Amino acid sequence: MPELPEVETVRRGLAPVMEGARIVEAEQRRPNLRFDFPEDFSARLEGRRIEALGRRAKYLLADLSSGDVLVMHLGMSGSFRVVEGPDTLAPGDFAHARSKNPRHDHVVLHLETADGAPAHIIYNDPRRFGFMTLVPRAGLEAHPLFAHLGLEPLGNALDGAWLASAFAGRKTPLKAALLDQKLIAGLGNIYVCEALWRAKLSPMRAAGTLVTRSGKPSVAAVRLADAIREVLAEAVAAGGSTLRDHARTDGSLGYFQHSFAVYDREDEPCRHPGCRGTIARTVQSGRSTFHCRTCQR
Ligand code: ZN
């Protein structure tokens, strides 16, 4: 499943082609993905200009000249390909190889780019857990998909003080609190494991322990906020460098996997200098947690 940095990488790969482009034709090849497409989906896209391509949590948001927003979610296996002339570029890198089987090409946007050139955005999704819908911009924040989303973790708003205010009094395990989409939007299992390891904090400790008695952030809270922003920023940077690599090649996409420090490294030695611990895997709320019992307290 693509995580937040990968969705941001996809956005950065699509934006140069999509922003300012006009949708000449929108081919919808099935009635539904995870959900039904809206009625008149193609008609509401065709002829519109894409004014900006943004992101909220793991949703890509294409603002259209009509005032609608095309909301796109990649689900488990969704991906985009960009076809411009002879080149094919698939933005974003996923831990799972992505399908190029045209049988799973469900939506094709035929564009005239801001430069007047033809381009095609192809959405492929073998498992069809992704979806697309149209929401009026004016009602976006109140829409059920977005109304309860918490803070954007890639922004500067995530700091120790914010964590302290969000976690004050909470007895839930730190890992569960970090995965709560109503608090922080889009931070997934992999990056929570990585950030907790980097901050040397146990996923099991109560979230409220990051707050001092006077309600201020503890040193650990500041360390954790820094760690979250760092692991995400590094992943986005890694994704960006692979985008450039792909743009240079003939467009055939290599298989790329981020190297994680702790995620999926059960029984391997902890990589913190001086730590002799071993990475353990436990299951919390049905999800695997990878952590070092020796240095994560
Ligand atoms: Zn360790």
Side-chain angles (χ1 to χ4, degrees):
M1 179 170 5
E3 295 238 10
L4 187 71
E6 292 150 344
V7 178
E8 175 60 18
T9 298
V10 171
R11 190 195 68 78
R12 293 180 186 194
L14 292 173
V17 181
M18 289 181 78
E19 290 188 332
R22 193 174 67 87
I23 302 170
V24 177
E25 187 191 350
E27 259 188 78
Q28 176 200 329
R29 295 181 176 174
R30 332 175 17 94
N32 62 342
L33 292 171
R34 181 172 170 187
F35 309 119
D36 286 348
F37 285 95
E39 274 184 54
D40 306 329
F41 180 71
S42 294
R44 283 167 73 181
L45 293 172
E46 287 172 358
R48 312 302 184 191
R49 195 165 293 282
I50 299 165
E51 294 180 339
L53 185 66
R55 180 188 56 75
R56 175 77 172 105
K58 295 207 284 188
Y59 300 95
L60 294 168
L61 306 174
D63 267 286
L64 305 177
S65 52
S66 58
D68 275 335
V69 178
L70 171 60
V71 177
M72 299 172 278
H73 194 282
L74 297 165
M76 303 287 287
S77 60
S79 66
F80 286 98
R81 304 200 301 283
V82 178
V83 178
E84 280 184 287
D87 299 324
T88 304
L89 164 67
D93 294 292
F94 301 104
H96 308 284
R98 281 160 310 148
S99 166
K100 288 187 187 174
N101 184 338
R103 200 157 59 85
H104 305 302
D105 290 345
H106 303 308
V107 177
V108 182
L109 300 178
H110 302 275
L111 306 179
E112 182 185 81
T113 67
D115 301 333
H120 313 274
I121 307 287
I122 302 163
Y123 180 72
N124 183 292
D125 191 349
R127 296 181 66 185
R128 301 201 304 267
F129 280 102
F131 64 90
M132 293 190 192
T133 191
L134 286 160
V135 178
R137 169 49 80 174
L140 194 77
E141 284 181 21
H143 188 277
L145 289 173
F146 301 98
H148 303 293
L149 285 180
L151 190 76
E152 269 297 318
L154 273 167
N156 290 329
L158 180 69
D159 60 11
W162 188 89
L163 282 181
S165 67
F167 289 176
R170 285 184 189 260
K171 294 188 172 63
T172 46
L174 191 47
K175 186 180 179 212
L178 290 169
L179 284 174
D180 183 346
Q181 301 298 299
K182 295 189 189 86
L183 295 176
I184 303 175
L187 194 58
N189 193 38
I190 293 175
Y191 291 97
V192 167
C193 290
E194 294 293 300
L196 286 169
W197 176 83
R198 190 173 296 209
K200 297 188 178 174
L201 292 171
S202 168
M204 285 79 176
R205 73 188 268 165
T209 60
L210 294 191
V211 189
T212 67
R213 282 191 186 171
S214 59
K216 296 240 165 29
S218 65
V219 174
V222 175
R223 210 164 64 219
L224 178 59
D226 289 346
I228 293 168
R229 286 203 317 270
E230 284 167 14
V231 296
L232 293 176
E234 287 168 17
V236 169
S241 65
T242 60
L243 273 184
R244 284 189 292 278
D245 289 346
H246 297 146
R248 273 199 297 271
T249 67
D250 62 359
S252 58
L253 183 67
Y255 187 93
F256 175 85
Q257 188 156 12
H258 282 303
S259 166
F260 299 113
V262 66
Y263 185 81
D264 214 12
R265 292 191 181 275
E266 186 179 9
D267 295 333
E268 291 185 28
C270 176
R271 295 180 170 196
H272 274 306
C275 179
R276 295 173 170 238
T278 303
I279 303 306
R281 186 181 81 92
T282 55
V283 176
Q284 286 180 289
S285 335
R287 321 266 321 254
S288 287
T289 292
F290 296 89
H291 69 121
C292 173
R293 286 198 184 97
T294 304
C295 66
Q296 287 183 249
R297 298 304 178 99

